[in-house]
Amino acid sequence: QVQLVESGGGLVQPGGSLRLSCAASGSILTINTMGWYRQAPGTGRELVATIDNGGGTNYADSVKGRFTISRDSAKNTVNLQMNSLKYEDTAVYYCNAKVRTSYYRLEQTYRGQGTQVTVSS
């Protein structure tokens, strides 16, 4: 099994910053893409940012220039630096990872339990 544990959420004022971290552990052979998604109340899940195992990144238009995703492949961690936060960034943020646990199994997607980010004055 694979576990993803997020940390770093909280309450921040508009214009402030937060840094989210996610650590993957368990029976991991390789991790391909890692990423962050978010879900605000009453809305669907939205891609925030992804990073592949070559360092290639992809961002939602709404966070470009404000958020930065990074990873430490040796530690199986992924981070999301969030700057210039806006009210509309309020959501539960989930870490995702596409993990291969064995040479005999296909890649599977795992998700963390989520961490709340609230932007409010």
Side-chain angles (χ1 to χ4, degrees):
Q1 275 289 7
V2 175
Q3 296 83 37
L4 272 64
V5 178
E6 301 103 334
S7 61
L11 173 65
V12 64
Q13 292 185 339
S17 298
L18 279 177
R19 183 178 177 84
L20 305 183
S21 296
C22 172
S25 62
S27 301
I28 296 171
L29 179 63
T30 59
I31 301 179
N32 188 358
T33 301
M34 302 187 81
W36 291 92
Y37 292 75
R38 66 187 181 187
Q39 187 166 17
T43 69
R45 195 173 62 156
E46 173 191 24
L47 166 72
V48 177
T50 62
I51 183 167
D52 62 32
N53 55 10
T57 58
N58 179 47
Y59 294 92
D61 287 342
S62 58
V63 307
K64 282 180 181 177
R66 301 188 298 122
F67 291 10
T68 303
I69 190 169
S70 61
R71 70 187 281 178
D72 184 333
S73 295
K75 297 181 179 179
N76 292 331
T77 58
V78 61
N79 301 305
L80 185 69
Q81 178 65 42
M82 305 186 294
N83 298 328
S84 302
L85 283 160
K86 304 176 180 180
Y87 292 113
E88 52 264 41
D89 294 318
T90 295
V92 178
Y93 284 70
Y94 298 92
C95 171
N96 259 37
K98 294 186 178 180
V99 180
R100 196 169 183 187
T101 58
S102 164
Y103 288 112
Y104 308 103
R105 292 188 175 184
L106 296 175
E107 183 178 271
Q108 288 183 284
T109 299
Y110 293 87
R111 190 176 80 169
Q113 80 287 353
T115 185
Q116 177 71 46
V117 171
T118 302
V119 184
S120 176
S121 55

